[in-house]
Amino acid sequence: MTAKLEIFWNLNSTEVLKKLETSTSGLAIGEAQNRLSLYGPNILKPKKRFTAFLIFITQFKSPIILILILAAGLSFFLKDPSDAVIILSIVMISSILGFWQEFKATATINKLLETIRIKVNVLRDNRDTEIPLEEIVPGEIIILNAGDIIPADCLIIESEDLFVNESTLTGETYPSEKQEGILFLETPVSKRTNCLFMGTNVVSGTGKAVVVNTGKSTEFGKISERLNLKSPETEFEHSIKRFGYFLMEVTTVLVIVIFAINIFLKRPFLDSFLFSLALAVGLTPQLLPAIISVNLARGAKRLAEIKVVVKHLSSIENFGSMNVFCSDKTGTLTEGIMNFNSAIDIFGIKSDKVLFYAYINAFYEKGFVNPIDETIRNLKEFDLSKHLKLDEIPYDFIRKRLSILVSSENNNIMITKGAFDNILEICSHSESENGVLIKIEEVKDKIKKIFEDYSNQGLRTLGIAYKNIGRNSSIAKENESEMIFLGFLTFEDKPKEGISETISELKKLGVILKIITGDNIKVAANMAKKAGLQNPKIITGSELNKIIDEALLKIVNDIGVFAEVEPNQKERIIIALKKAGNVVGYMGDGINDASALHASDVSISVNGAADIAKESADIVLLDKDLRVLSKGIKEGRAIFSNTLKYIYMATSANFGNMFSMAGASLFLSFLPLLPKQILLTNLMTDFPEMTIAIDNVDKEMSDVPRRFNMKFIRNFMLTFGLISSIFDFATFGILLLLMHASTEQFRTGWFLESVISAAIIVLAIRTRRSIFKSKPGKYLLVSTLLILAVTLFLPYTSLGTIFGFEPLPLTFILVLAVILISYIIVVEIVKKIFYKKVRY
C-alpha cells in the first residue's frame, strides 16, 4: 500500500480511493489487519502497557529504596553479608506486596474499561461493522451520524446536511457545514469543507468518508506533539502530591541531621548511613500509591456491580467530594420516553393536518436522531407517496428547529418543527380550522395562552409551521421566514418512579441537585415540583445572558433550576459553580453536553449516550438511573475515607516511632534499632495497613462530602505523633533506667513496643468513635492479630536471633503491656477532644 497522503483536499474522492488502494465497499478484514500492523493503533498517545514486569519494576522507583539497595550491596562486601541479605530480602518482600496489590488493581480496571470502548461504524467487505476507534486504519470507509466522534482525518465521499463541531481544532463556535468537493491546495484547515478531522464530532446530518490519516499523522495529532496531553490533575491528586512533598521535606531534613550527628559522634559511617536510610524508609509512606490504587480499583469494581463504570479512577474521590450535582431532566429525572399527547391547531382542537405534517417532518428527518421524531414515526403510518423528500435543513442548537422540503402536486411544501418560540418568531400568518389564513398578530396572544396552559401541565410543547415554496427543489435557512403557524405537538415525559425519594437521599448526603435544561421555564418548574424540589429559584438562559460572571458567582448557589439554556451556557454555569467553591458533578448524554462535561469536576454519562458525551465523561452509567448515584457517592466517600486512614497512620504512629528513634540515637551510646530491625518493623506494620483499602467505614464518614485538608492532617500529625513520641521516650526510660536492659534487650523491647503499638493504634486512628464502638474490617482485624502474635513470638525463635533479638523476661513483657494499654487510653481521650476542637 502507498504511504499516507499529506495533501488530499485538492483531490476528488475517486483519486483518493485509488491512492489509498481501497474502494467505497471498504477494506477486506485481512487487509485492515495488515494495515493496523503497518500503521499502528489510531491513538495520539501510546497507552501505558502495565505488564507485570513493568508494575514490579515501578516498586523500586523510590530513590530511597535504590540507595538502600546499593548501601546493602556495599555492606555485603565490606561488613556483614548476612545483614545485607536480610535488608535486601525485606525490601524485596515489601516490593512484592506492593506489586501484587497494584497488579490486581490494574487488571480489574482494564477489564472494566473494555465494556465502554468507543466504537466506529465502518464498511468491511461492504458490510456495516462496528470496530473500536483505535483500530481505524487509512483506507477505511466510515459511516457517520449525529453525535459520532470523527475518529481520524478523512475525505468526504457522501454527505447529507452534515454539520460538524470543529471547535477543538479551529476554535470556531458554530458548526461547520461539510460536503464532498475539491478545494484549492492553499485552503486553510478551518475552510476545508470537504474534510473531517480527528477530535471533532458530528452535530447533525449523515455522511460517508474515507480515512486518510490516523493517529499522530492527523492535524490534531500534529498539534498534540507540541502540547502536553496529560489530563489535568484532580483536586485529590494535587493534594496527595502536596502531602508527598511535605513528608519528603520533613524526612530529608531529619535524615540529614541524624546522619550528620551520628558521624559527629564518631559512629561507624556505614552503620550511620544505613540507619539514616532505614529511618527514611520508615518515615516514607511507601504504601500510599498502592493503597490509593487498590482503593480505587476495588471501588471501581464495586461500582461496576451496580452498573457504574469508572473511566478515570482519580474521579472517584471527586465523586465522593461532590456537593453539587447538575443534570438535565430528560431521562434522569424523567423516564426519558416521549409519550405523544396531542396534535392540535391554534384553537386547541385536535388536528389531523398537524399530525400529518409532523409525520412528514419526522419521517424524512435524517440529521438528528431524537426520541420525539421516533415517537411521531411510531404513532401511525401515513401514505407519503405524493410527498417525496427534496431537501432538509437539519436541527441545530441555535435555531432549535428542523425543516423538511417535500414535493407536492401544486407547490412544494417546507414543513418546519421545533421549539415553540423559535417557530412562532418565523411565522407571519396562522391557519384556522377551515384553512383560512389569519395574520399572526391577531391570534398571537391566543396561541401563547395555549402554549402556557400545556407547559404548566408539564407537557413538552412544540410548534409546527409550513410554507409553500413554489417549484424550488432546495431550501436554505433564509427560507425559514414568513411561514404559516399550523399548530402544536404535545408530549409527556413522566417523572421516574421514586425520583423524589432519590433526590431526598442525595440531599441527605449533602449533595444539592440543580436542573439545567433547554426546556421552557413552565415545563422545568413543573418537573422540579414533581421531583420534590421545594420552590426552587429559576433563571432562564435569556436572563443569564444579562448577568456578568462576577454577579453570577454571587447568586449561582441559590438557583435551583436553569431553564431555556443554550449549550454554551451550560459550561458557564458549571464553571461559576466551581468558582463558588463547589465540587461539581454534571450528567449529560447529548452532543451539546460535551463542553459542560469537560468543565465539571465529575463528568457522568450513560452507555447509550452520543460518542462525544461518553468520551468526555469520567464515569459512565450502564443504566440511566439516578438511584445508583447515591451508592456511587457513598463508595467514593468510603474510598476517600480509607485513603485518609492510611495517611493518618503514616503521620502519627509511624512518624512518631521513627522520630523517637532518631531522637534516641542522639543520646544513646548505641543505635536504638539496627537498620535491618527498622526495616523489619516497617515491613510488619505494612501488613495490616495494606488491608485498610477494604476496611469498614463509619456511617458518619459517608454522610457529608469531604475534601483533602492539609491543615487538618498537619494538626493530626503533630497531635498524635507527639503522643506516640512521648510514650516512645517513656519506653526508652523504663527499659534503661527501671529495667536496666542490655543493648539487645532494649532493641527487642523497643521492637515489640514499636510494632505492637503501630498495629493496634491503626484500630484507634481508623475511626472517630471509640475503638470499641467501630467494627474494623475482617481482614484488618485478622492481619493485626496475626502481626501481634508473630511479633510476640519472634524473639523466641531462631529467626529472631538472626535479626539480633533475644527472649525477654516476663516482667519486661508485663511492663510493655502496661505502656501499650496506657498509650491506647490516652489516644482515645485525646481523639475525643481533638475531634471536638478541630472540625473536618
Side-chain angles (χ1 to χ4, degrees):
M1 181 198 156
T2 58
K4 296 181 192 178
L5 300 177
E6 288 292 329
I7 299 171
F8 57 92
W9 53 92
N10 64 331
L11 303 174
N12 62 40
S13 58
T14 303
E15 290 177 280
V16 171
L17 289 170
K18 185 176 180 181
K19 287 179 179 292
L20 292 172
E21 298 179 16
T22 187
S23 70
T24 53
S25 300
L27 297 170
I29 295 174
E31 176 61 19
Q33 292 298 322
N34 290 337
R35 295 190 184 194
L36 185 60
S37 300
L38 177 64
Y39 293 111
N42 177 38
I43 52 178
L44 297 181
K45 189 177 180 181
K47 289 186 177 180
K48 290 184 179 179
R49 297 191 54 172
F50 289 105
T51 61
F53 176 73
L54 287 176
I55 294 174
F56 181 72
I57 291 299
T58 58
Q59 306 305 311
F60 300 92
K61 64 183 179 182
S62 166
I64 294 174
I65 294 294
L66 294 175
I67 294 171
L68 188 61
I69 292 172
L70 290 173
L74 186 62
S75 175
F76 184 87
F77 292 105
L78 299 181
K79 194 187 172 191
D80 186 355
S82 61
D83 276 6
V85 170
I86 291 170
I87 291 171
L88 290 174
S89 299
I90 293 172
V91 170
M92 186 60 68
I93 292 170
S94 179
S95 299
I96 289 172
L97 289 174
F99 156 75
W100 180 241
Q101 294 282 337
E102 288 198 48
F103 179 73
K104 289 195 298 181
T106 303
T108 299
I109 296 310
N110 288 340
K111 188 175 180 181
L112 291 176
L113 291 179
E114 284 294 316
T115 64
I116 52 168
R117 295 170 79 184
I118 298 293
K119 300 289 184 70
V120 180
N121 195 15
V122 303
L123 287 178
R124 290 273 172 91
D125 293 324
N126 207 28
R127 289 186 300 180
D128 279 12
T129 307
E130 278 196 339
I131 63 170
L133 182 145
E134 58 267 26
E135 293 181 14
I136 292 289
V137 295
E140 206 88 72
I141 304 298
I142 62 171
I143 301 167
L144 297 163
N145 294 287
D148 288 349
I149 286 176
I150 307 297
D153 285 2
C154 314
L155 182 74
I156 296 173
I157 299 174
E158 299 173 10
S159 69
E160 186 173 352
D161 303 308
L162 185 64
F163 285 80
V164 175
N165 179 1
E166 296 185 323
S167 58
T168 53
L169 187 66
T170 66
E172 291 291 333
T173 304
Y174 297 105
S176 172
E177 186 172 8
K178 298 289 185 175
Q179 54 195 1
E180 62 272 26
I182 303 173
L183 301 175
F184 292 114
L185 183 64
E186 299 79 12
T187 307
V189 171
S190 60
K191 303 296 183 184
R192 293 177 194 167
T193 53
N194 65 344
C195 298
L196 302 172
F197 300 104
M198 181 188 217
T200 62
N201 65 280
V202 180
V203 174
S204 61
T206 59
K208 184 185 289 186
V210 56
V211 173
V212 180
N213 292 315
T214 58
K216 291 185 179 180
S217 297
T218 62
E219 291 294 331
F220 200 75
K222 293 170 188 174
I223 295 172
S224 72
E225 288 285 277
R226 304 191 297 271
L227 298 175
N228 179 13
L229 288 179
K230 187 178 180 181
S231 301
E233 283 183 334
T234 65
E235 180 188 12
F236 185 80
E237 287 174 319
H238 179 67
S239 299
I240 287 293
K241 184 179 285 187
R242 282 175 51 221
F243 170 71
Y245 287 145
F246 166 69
L247 281 188
M248 188 168 62
E249 290 168 5
V250 174
T251 301
T252 302
V253 171
L254 189 61
V255 167
I256 290 174
V257 170
I258 294 303
F259 177 67
I261 291 174
N262 274 277
I263 293 299
F264 177 76
L265 295 175
K266 295 184 171 50
R267 289 172 181 165
F269 176 87
L270 192 56
D271 283 350
S272 299
F273 186 56
L274 283 171
F275 177 76
S276 300
L277 286 177
L279 279 181
V281 172
L283 289 168
T284 305
Q286 291 170 273
L287 281 182
L288 185 57
I291 290 291
I292 292 174
S293 296
V294 173
N295 255 328
L296 295 179
R298 287 183 181 276
K301 190 174 181 180
R302 284 195 291 264
L303 287 172
E305 291 170 1
I306 57 171
K307 298 187 176 182
V308 178
V309 178
V310 180
K311 285 175 61 184
H312 305 129
L313 287 184
S314 56
S315 65
I316 294 181
E317 280 104 353
N318 277 351
F319 203 10
S321 300
M322 180 176 70
N323 69 305
V324 172
F325 175 66
C326 301
S327 174
D328 191 358
K329 68 177 189 63
T330 305
T332 49
L333 307 182
T334 65
E335 291 178 348
I337 301 172
M338 285 295 171
N339 299 293
F340 178 77
N341 182 269
S342 62
I344 54 175
D345 64 16
I346 62 171
F347 300 104
I349 300 171
K350 186 177 178 181
S351 170
D352 290 334
K353 184 174 182 179
V354 170
L355 183 58
F356 178 58
Y357 274 32
Y359 181 84
I360 293 173
N361 181 281
F363 182 85
Y364 285 124
E365 183 270 320
K366 297 297 181 186
F368 186 77
V369 180
N370 64 87
I372 288 177
D373 286 335
E374 191 69 30
T375 300
I376 295 172
R377 287 192 289 266
N378 293 333
L379 278 175
K380 181 180 178 181
E381 190 171 330
F382 289 90
D383 179 12
L384 300 184
S385 59
K386 295 180 180 179
H387 295 83
L388 301 178
K389 180 180 177 180
L390 299 173
D391 200 6
E392 174 179 357
I393 308 173
Y395 181 93
D396 63 58
F397 296 102
I398 299 168
R399 292 166 38 256
K400 293 186 178 179
R401 52 184 179 251
L402 161 70
S403 293
I404 298 290
L405 178 63
V406 293
S407 60
S408 183
E409 293 178 357
N410 301 316
N411 296 306
N412 295 335
I413 303 171
M414 181 175 76
I415 302 171
T416 304
K417 175 179 93 270
F420 171 75
D421 288 335
N422 298 64
I423 294 296
L424 192 61
E425 71 181 10
I426 59 172
C427 292
S428 59
H429 291 79
S430 61
E431 184 176 292
S432 67
E433 184 181 6
N434 55 12
V436 175
L437 297 185
I438 309 168
K439 286 186 177 180
I440 199 72
E441 287 78 12
E442 296 177 18
V443 289
K444 185 176 281 189
D445 290 341
K446 182 188 293 290
I447 290 172
K448 286 185 175 180
K449 179 67 167 57
I450 292 174
F451 171 72
E452 288 180 5
D453 288 344
Y454 279 109
S455 296
N456 284 329
Q457 296 173 42
L459 296 175
R460 178 84 175 270
T461 307
L462 305 181
I464 188 160
Y466 76 96
K467 179 180 182 179
N468 292 321
I469 209 85
R471 303 316 301 171
N472 292 343
S473 59
S474 64
I475 50 176
K477 292 176 183 178
E478 292 74 25
N479 295 114
E480 293 178 337
S481 63
E482 301 295 317
M483 298 191 73
I484 300 166
F485 189 88
L486 187 60
F488 306 88
L489 298 166
T490 64
F491 302 85
E492 183 179 15
D493 188 7
K494 296 178 181 178
K496 278 191 173 177
E497 185 179 350
I499 189 61
S500 59
E501 290 82 359
T502 301
I503 293 172
S504 177
E505 173 70 13
L506 288 174
K507 191 173 181 180
K508 288 177 184 177
L509 290 171
V511 180
I512 304 301
L513 173 71
K514 294 185 184 293
I515 300 174
I516 303 178
T517 178
D519 282 344
N520 74 73
I521 190 170
K522 304 284 186 182
V523 173
N526 183 278
M527 183 62 244
K529 183 179 179 181
K530 290 179 180 178
L533 297 183
Q534 299 300 318
N535 301 316
K537 288 186 179 181
I538 304 176
I539 190 171
T540 64
S542 56
E543 292 170 332
L544 201 61
N545 282 333
K546 300 173 185 177
I547 301 173
I548 62 174
D549 290 342
E550 290 75 10
L552 182 60
L553 282 178
K554 295 179 180 178
I555 64 171
V556 71
N557 282 332
D558 299 323
I559 299 169
V561 178
F562 299 85
E564 303 173 20
V565 297
E566 306 290 343
N568 61 319
Q569 290 177 321
K570 294 182 180 182
E571 181 181 14
R572 186 184 174 209
I573 294 165
I574 299 300
I575 291 172
L577 285 166
K578 287 171 65 177
K579 287 183 177 179
N582 302 293
V583 177
V584 184
Y586 180 79
M587 184 168 182
D589 62 358
I591 305 163
N592 60 329
D593 289 314
S595 59
L597 286 165
H598 183 74
S600 64
D601 294 302
V602 187
S603 50
I604 305 166
S605 193
V606 294
N607 202 27
D611 284 351
I612 185 62
K614 196 162 67 169
E615 178 69 12
S616 302
D618 298 316
I619 294 169
V620 177
L621 308 184
L622 299 185
D623 288 336
K624 196 171 186 178
D625 190 346
L626 277 187
R627 283 176 293 189
V628 301
L629 283 183
S630 59
K631 295 179 183 177
I633 290 166
K634 289 177 182 176
E635 190 64 52
R637 291 178 184 175
I639 292 166
F640 184 80
S641 177
N642 282 340
T643 303
L644 286 182
K645 286 177 189 178
Y646 178 78
I647 291 173
Y648 294 157
M649 174 280 306
T651 54
S652 55
N654 275 19
F655 192 86
N657 284 345
M658 296 302 152
F659 185 80
S660 302
M661 205 178 307
S665 69
L666 303 182
F667 62 81
L668 291 176
S669 58
F670 55 89
L671 292 177
L673 282 181
L674 298 173
K676 61 184 177 184
Q677 294 170 340
I678 296 175
L679 292 175
L680 180 63
T681 300
N682 191 49
L683 177 65
M684 294 187 73
T685 54
D686 278 352
F687 274 95
E689 289 160 11
M690 290 185 74
T691 62
I692 286 176
I694 50 174
D695 185 28
N696 296 333
V697 176
D698 295 335
K699 183 178 179 295
E700 61 269 21
M701 298 307 294
S702 298
D703 283 347
V704 294
R706 300 179 189 277
R707 300 169 81 167
F708 199 94
N709 189 326
M710 197 66 189
K711 183 179 178 182
F712 179 88
I713 291 171
R714 278 198 298 265
N715 290 335
F716 192 97
M717 182 184 77
L718 292 173
T719 301
F720 292 94
L722 179 61
I723 294 172
S724 176
S725 288
I726 289 172
F727 276 90
D728 289 340
F729 283 111
T731 302
F732 297 159
I734 291 171
L735 286 173
L736 290 173
L737 303 177
L738 184 62
M739 308 303 293
H740 305 292
S742 64
T743 299
E744 287 72 22
Q745 287 177 329
F746 178 91
R747 287 170 176 164
T748 304
W750 168 230
F751 169 77
L752 292 177
E753 194 273 346
S754 182
V755 174
I756 294 173
S757 66
I760 291 178
I761 213 63
V762 171
L763 300 179
I765 288 173
R766 59 169 290 278
T767 177
R768 297 185 177 203
R769 303 177 186 178
S770 162
I771 194 172
F772 303 108
K773 292 183 179 179
S774 177
K775 184 180 178 182
K778 177 176 68 175
Y779 293 103
L780 175 60
L781 183 60
V782 169
S783 60
T784 299
L785 294 176
L786 182 63
I787 287 300
L788 294 182
V790 171
T791 304
L792 284 170
F793 285 107
L794 184 63
Y796 302 92
T797 65
S798 55
L799 184 61
T801 304
I802 293 172
F803 275 96
F805 300 130
E806 69 173 45
L808 294 177
L810 181 60
T811 52
F812 274 68
I813 301 296
L814 293 175
V815 168
L816 291 174
V818 171
I819 294 172
L820 288 167
I821 292 170
S822 303
Y823 179 35
I824 293 169
I825 293 171
V826 170
V827 166
E828 286 293 305
I829 294 170
V830 173
K831 185 173 69 173
K832 194 171 183 180
I833 298 169
F834 179 81
Y835 282 116
K836 277 186 178 179
K837 289 188 175 182
V838 184
R839 294 292 176 186
Y840 186 15

